[in-house]
């Protein structure tokens, strides 16, 4: 791409899905301006104009044109800065289909279960959610073994789509483990995923853009306290 | 691709999402074996083995390797039979991102509203759903005008991803209009979408693979009667 590329990312510092865009931009060595949004205060005009349907972050704005939805943004970055850095999606159509399928599984099936397991109040919903979270991680352990073929990442030697997608939730998982003592990533059940998580979070391309676990834990605690106080007032 | 390609599609005749795979295969002139699944009876071993996570159709099996989820299958077909027929996804990354974004909008936001508007029993949910269906269609009308640029399809001169995605629901829409007298596609509100729908359904690539509206309407009526009788017995 030309030198006059203007790249802007609208995000919030704690958002796992914003982290996906940051990692992808970092992998492709793309310079960008980062704009922090205040989702609890008032959203910027730029956000409302750029993502009128969902009014959510992340939004990537490239030479004035917005791209929304985190996995869509990651694919856009991969396709736009094709020759810069390793490919985020595999080259063979079947491997690409698998990467898209399992990333959608993480977002559409596994993460909603995680939310049910950690945020809902009903004990039944929580227990069912926790069961699905564990089942999902066992499934992803099998997927990792099958497609990484002894290499460090889902993407093989380099970080790929599933790595970015699942990896973006690791800090949230670890913050939740710290706060509530639940164990999500368990060495005895998913040893390969545990090892992968360590390698992913300490990778050069990742470690400088992920938020600190303690800071995220503090943010979650404050958010939950606020929600609690609103609920008890109503 | 080589002549020895073995392509199998697991589906049900009435499913809009299965229709997507059929249209994409047709656009790319791919020969395939179609296997009709009985989702109300017992699912085939092949389906359970090929899509263990969701156990749903469509599943495309190409030389023994399964691909699941309809939009994922369409992208796979586009990438695998690249040089055969026109591209289903646009070539520019930003246009591709738009095609993926609006297709996901149809599946994740518009279609759930359609289901709420037509299937739920509560009058409030129905009315809210109907409002969202109409809002969604107005939005898609604007998208059509913006990206088709006077050409017949969302994809321009040829059928593209959004055409296949939204177009796959047209028979269901028309069957529902026939059954219940609701009006979804209204000339006075979304004239461009109405015209697009006619062109899409009468296109050579589409008209031989879509199910008949009357047959789908009869299927829905029988399905609803059965659901009603189960509900009144319990």
């Amino acid at each position: 791409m030309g030198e006059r590329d203007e790249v802007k990312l609208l995000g919030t510092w704690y958002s796992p899905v914003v982290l996906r865009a940051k990692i992808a931009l970092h992998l492709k060595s793309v310079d960008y301006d980062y704009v922090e949004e205040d989702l609890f205060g008032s959203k910027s005009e730029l956000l409302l104009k750029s993502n009128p349907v969902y009014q959510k972050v992340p939004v990537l704005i490239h030479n004035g044109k917005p791209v929304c939805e985190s996995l869509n943004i990651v694919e856009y970055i991969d396709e736009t800065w094709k020759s810069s850095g390793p490919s985020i999606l595999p080259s063979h159509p079947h491997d690409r289909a698998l990467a898209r399928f399992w990333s959608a599984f993480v977002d559409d099936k596994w993460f909603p279960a995680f939310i049910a397991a950690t945020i809902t109040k009903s004990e039944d919903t929580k227990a069912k959610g926790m069961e699905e979270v564990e089942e999902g991680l066992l499934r992803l352990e099998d997927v990792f073994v099958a497609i990484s073929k002894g290499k460090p990442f889902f993407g093989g030697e380099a970080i790929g789509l599933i790595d970015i997608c699942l990896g973006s939730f690791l800090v949230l998982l670890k913050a939740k483990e710290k706060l509530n003592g639940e164990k999500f990533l368990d060495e005895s059940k998913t040893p390969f995923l545990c090892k992968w998580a360590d390698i992913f979070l300490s990778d050069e391309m990742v470690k400088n853009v992920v938020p600190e676990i303690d800071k995220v834990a503090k943010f979650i605690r404050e958010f939950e306290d606020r929600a609690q106080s609103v609920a008890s007032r109503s």
Side-chain angles (χ1 to χ4, degrees), chain A:
Chain A
M1 304 298 294
E3 274 180 59
R4 290 161 54 221
D5 268 341
E6 197 185 69
V7 183
K8 198 174 272 181
L9 178 67
L10 314 186
T12 59
W13 66 269
Y14 49 83
S15 161
V17 286
V18 170
L19 179 60
R20 294 175 179 177
K22 289 184 180 173
I23 294 172
L25 288 166
H26 205 43
L27 283 169
K28 294 291 190 173
S29 312
V30 179
D31 285 329
Y32 66 99
D33 292 320
Y34 175 71
V35 182
E36 180 76 16
E37 289 284 339
D38 177 10
L39 300 189
F40 297 100
S42 76
K43 297 173 181 177
S44 75
E45 278 304 310
L46 188 59
L47 173 59
L48 298 178
K49 199 185 78 179
S50 308
N51 190 359
V53 177
Y54 301 108
Q55 307 186 355
K56 289 195 299 191
V57 292
V59 177
L60 184 82
I61 306 176
H62 182 203
N63 294 334
K65 288 183 172 177
V67 182
C68 305
E69 299 291 278
S70 66
L71 294 179
N72 203 15
I73 291 173
V74 172
E75 287 219 41
Y76 175 81
I77 293 168
D78 195 35
E79 292 174 358
T80 301
W81 290 277
K82 222 178 180 60
S83 52
S84 164
S87 279
I88 295 171
L89 268 90
S91 58
H92 191 280
H94 192 261
D95 297 333
R96 297 163 73 86
L98 278 181
R100 290 181 183 129
F101 176 84
W102 288 109
S103 297
F105 170 83
V106 168
D107 277 10
D108 302 339
K109 210 164 158 73
W110 182 82
F111 188 64
F114 176 80
I115 291 296
T118 56
I119 289 184
T120 40
K121 292 281 163 272
S122 132
E123 284 307 315
D124 277 2
T125 315
K126 236 187 176 80
K128 195 172 165 288
M130 196 60 191
E131 208 174 287
E132 285 178 27
V133 167
E134 285 178 6
E135 272 173 25
L137 289 172
L138 289 173
R139 230 183 241 287
L140 290 164
E141 172 93 350
D142 290 343
V143 173
F144 180 82
V145 171
I147 74 174
S148 68
K149 299 193 182 84
K151 289 173 185 153
F153 298 110
F154 284 92
E157 291 296 352
I159 289 172
L161 189 69
I162 310 176
D163 297 290
I164 294 176
C165 179
L166 184 62
S168 70
F169 289 125
L170 286 173
V171 167
L172 183 59
L173 241 69
K174 285 176 185 280
K176 272 291 192 184
E177 285 183 348
K178 216 156 193 176
L179 281 171
N180 307 1
E182 292 130 329
K183 192 98 185 129
F184 295 107
L185 281 175
D186 185 334
E187 280 279 356
S188 68
K189 290 178 186 163
T190 54
F192 284 95
L193 276 193
C194 289
K195 198 175 166 205
W196 162 80
D198 288 343
I199 294 175
F200 180 80
L201 287 176
S202 59
D203 190 275
E204 281 302 321
M205 291 293 141
V206 174
K207 69 178 181 192
N208 297 324
V209 285
V210 290
E212 284 167 42
I213 294 169
D214 286 339
K215 210 176 147 197
V216 171
K218 187 166 170 277
F219 175 79
I220 295 171
R221 173 59 49 95
E222 285 170 4
F223 177 78
E224 287 176 347
D225 286 352
R226 211 168 357 169
Q228 188 81 37
S229 110
V230 168
S232 62
R233 258 185 292 156
S234 62

